[in-house]
Amino acid sequence: NAGVTQTPKFQVLKTGQSMTLQCAQDMNHEYMSWYRQDPGMGLRLIHYSVGAGITDQGEVPNGYNVSRSTTEDFPLRLLSAAPSQTSVYFCASSYSAGGFTDTQYFGPGTRLTVL
Amino acid sequence: DQQVKQNSPSLSVQEGRISILNCDYTNSMFDYFLWYKKYPAEGPTFLISISSIKDKNEDGRFTVFLNKSAKHLSLHIVPSQPGDSAVYFCAASAFRDDKIIFGKGTRLHILP
């Protein structure tokens, strides 16, 4: 199993550009989520999904869109990048979530810089 | 409003001694708690968890203690080893809520 994969590893954007961060998992996990990590801010939840076709907002959803058309993939879209979105983005997946939460497996991250 | 707080940004501990990392939470609905470890340029990896029906969970050198009345948990690492130098995140979730909320992390330095 490859686990959770993220592409690209690094990306530089100009303000106003759009892009999609890719996330895929091959563990047949129902739950997937996106976090951003900023210095001094820890990991903050952006969006999450409890299964194909179901997504919901996390703590910091503004400026980001997600969709979940398959169990395996959970892309994160930046519609109009802003310097405040400069961060390291992590995708994670687990068999389920809520209650006695299953362990989340994290991808290696995408380091995004917005100029 | 921070629901999961790790008030110590960093901690230095001598190799072989005990490392104690602390975490406080404000949401009384949280009933499952996790610790993750993160090395630079890697994603976080799961370390240990505890549910609210327990007050202690042990896995090798790692023990997590939960004090529900104080809304406080701690991670003990005994003995501390050089490979334990990393950032440790505390996380929490509530039954019937699909969000998993993380703290800001504590950077642990194990000194030789």
Side-chain angles (χ1 to χ4, degrees):
Chain A
N1 286 352
V4 180
T5 57
Q6 291 183 238
T7 55
K9 283 189 168 49
F10 303 93
Q11 182 70 50
V12 179
L13 291 177
K14 293 182 180 177
T15 298
Q17 287 185 314
S18 62
M19 80 158 295
T20 299
L21 308 186
Q22 302 291 345
C23 174
Q25 51 90 10
D26 61 358
M27 298 174 281
N28 203 31
H29 285 167
E30 291 295 323
Y31 183 86
M32 295 185 75
S33 56
W34 277 101
Y35 291 86
R36 59 178 288 174
Q37 185 190 10
D38 303 294
M41 298 299 293
L43 290 162
R44 292 183 292 171
L45 180 64
I46 304 171
H47 285 285
Y48 63 97
S49 168
V50 299
I54 306 170
T55 63
D56 208 342
Q57 297 181 348
E59 302 169 271
V60 288
N62 292 341
Y64 307 95
N65 275 0
V66 292
S67 60
R68 184 95 180 271
S69 55
T70 67
T71 299
E72 295 77 21
D73 300 298
F74 190 43
L76 178 73
R77 294 186 195 83
L78 283 70
L79 303 175
S80 178
S84 61
Q85 294 178 304
T86 294
S87 186
V88 181
Y89 291 85
F90 290 101
C91 178
S93 75
S94 62
Y95 183 72
S96 65
F100 298 116
T101 307
D102 284 320
T103 302
Q104 286 204 98
Y105 295 86
F106 281 81
T110 294
R111 184 175 294 274
L112 175 68
T113 301
V114 182
L115 303 175
Chain B
D1 179 32
Q2 254 190 293
Q3 297 187 68
V4 178
K5 301 178 184 180
Q6 294 178 258
N7 292 321
S8 298
S10 67
L11 176 67
S12 294
V13 174
Q14 209 75 33
E15 182 179 352
R17 307 292 287 268
I18 182 171
S19 295
I20 300 176
L21 294 93
N22 294 305
C23 178
D24 297 294
Y25 60 97
T26 58
N27 187 342
S28 58
M29 299 303 292
F30 285 151
D31 59 2
Y32 197 73
F33 305 89
L34 310 96
W35 285 93
Y36 282 80
K37 177 178 180 179
K38 185 184 181 304
Y39 292 120
E42 294 183 10
T45 54
F46 171 75
L47 195 56
I48 193 169
S49 63
I50 189 167
S51 72
S52 59
I53 61 174
K54 293 185 173 183
D55 53 19
K56 176 183 174 182
N57 189 26
E58 198 169 348
D59 184 1
R61 296 186 298 114
F62 303 92
T63 303
V64 56
F65 296 91
L66 176 62
N67 182 334
K68 289 186 289 292
S69 60
K71 294 192 179 69
H72 176 82
L73 62 154
S74 61
L75 174 68
H76 292 213
I77 306 173
V78 185
S80 300
Q81 297 176 353
D84 296 330
S85 293
V87 177
Y88 290 79
F89 290 102
C90 174
S93 70
F95 190 62
R96 299 188 193 283
D97 186 352
D98 299 312
K99 298 190 193 66
I100 301 164
I101 305 299
F102 282 74
K104 293 185 177 183
T106 296
R107 184 176 299 277
L108 177 63
H109 301 271
I110 304 301
L111 306 171

